[in-house]
Amino acid sequence: MPQTKPIVSVENVVASASVDQKIDLNDITEKFPDTEYHPEQFPGLVFRLKSPRTATLIFRTGKMVCTGAKSEEMAIKAVNTVVQKLRKGKIKIKKDAVITVQNIVAAINLGGKIHLEKAARTLPRSMYEPEQFPGLIHRMLDPKTVILLFASGKLVCTGAKKESDVYRSVHNLHALLEEKNLMIYDQ
């Protein structure tokens, strides 16, 4: 049984969405002057929300990418809010957005230090080159995530499609680190 309970904090949820129609981005810029649209630099328009605090990229194809949400629910709410605001601003959007979570990034603190040298030799599918990057990169197969491990006992988990996958990844890795005596706790 692990000696500590990991503290998990979801930092960013990236979701893609589509309203399945072409959108006139210049029209949005005129009706929503706060948006950012520089087609000569980037083909997407940036629609920022204060609540939930997110940025949604909107493309003329009707595809969208929402970033900055702190949960799956928040990402879905943000996209739906953007679509609602567009409709209120007389931008014709026929269908509701179909939303898919693409990536969840979480920061984790295990509450103890990690013996990275030993972990690099013990954990399968791991890469550790301290001269290039201070963290060990561990690729987990189930759930399919990538976890960066640092000597401080802090982790970054990326690649999860569901929040439950973040927790499962962290739990599995923490149990493995404990089992292989790779955790160091200050007594």
Side-chain angles (χ1 to χ4, degrees), residues 9-27:
S9 163
V10 173
E11 297 297 329
N12 188 15
V13 176
V14 178
S16 64
S18 176
V19 290
D20 197 26
Q21 72 178 60
K22 297 263 181 278
I23 298 176
D24 183 345
L25 300 181
N26 291 316
D27 196 16

Side-chain angles (χ1 to χ4, degrees), residues 159-174:
K161 303 264 192 220
K162 300 195 297 276
E163 285 176 52
S164 58
D165 286 350
V166 171
Y167 288 94
R168 213 154 54 88
S169 291
V170 170
H171 176 78
N172 292 351
L173 181 64
H174 195 202

Side-chain angles (χ1 to χ4, degrees), residues 48-64:
R48 294 182 196 283
L49 292 179
K50 289 208 171 40
S51 177
R53 198 165 154 215
T54 54
T56 301
L57 298 174
I58 305 173
F59 299 92
R60 60 180 184 76
T61 58
K63 293 198 184 322
M64 301 180 189

Side-chain angles (χ1 to χ4, degrees), residues 149-167:
L149 295 82
F150 298 93
S152 63
K154 294 201 164 74
L155 313 174
V156 175
C157 176
T158 182
K161 303 264 192 220
K162 300 195 297 276
E163 285 176 52
S164 58
D165 286 350
V166 171
Y167 288 94

Side-chain angles (χ1 to χ4, degrees), residues 172-183:
N172 292 351
L173 181 64
H174 195 202
L176 187 60
L177 291 171
E178 286 275 336
E179 183 193 314
K180 305 284 186 191
N181 288 321
L182 299 170
M183 292 296 302

Side-chain angles (χ1 to χ4, degrees), residues 24-75:
D24 183 345
L25 300 181
N26 291 316
D27 196 16
I28 295 175
T29 308
E30 282 169 31
K31 291 173 176 158
F32 296 91
D34 286 355
T35 59
E36 296 163 38
Y37 183 45
H38 309 286
E40 63 288 340
Q41 288 167 10
F42 182 72
L45 174 142
V46 183
F47 198 115
R48 294 182 196 283
L49 292 179
K50 289 208 171 40
S51 177
R53 198 165 154 215
T54 54
T56 301
L57 298 174
I58 305 173
F59 299 92
R60 60 180 184 76
T61 58
K63 293 198 184 322
M64 301 180 189
V65 177
C66 175
T67 63
K70 300 283 187 196
S71 69
E72 292 173 68
E73 297 79 42
M74 197 190 282

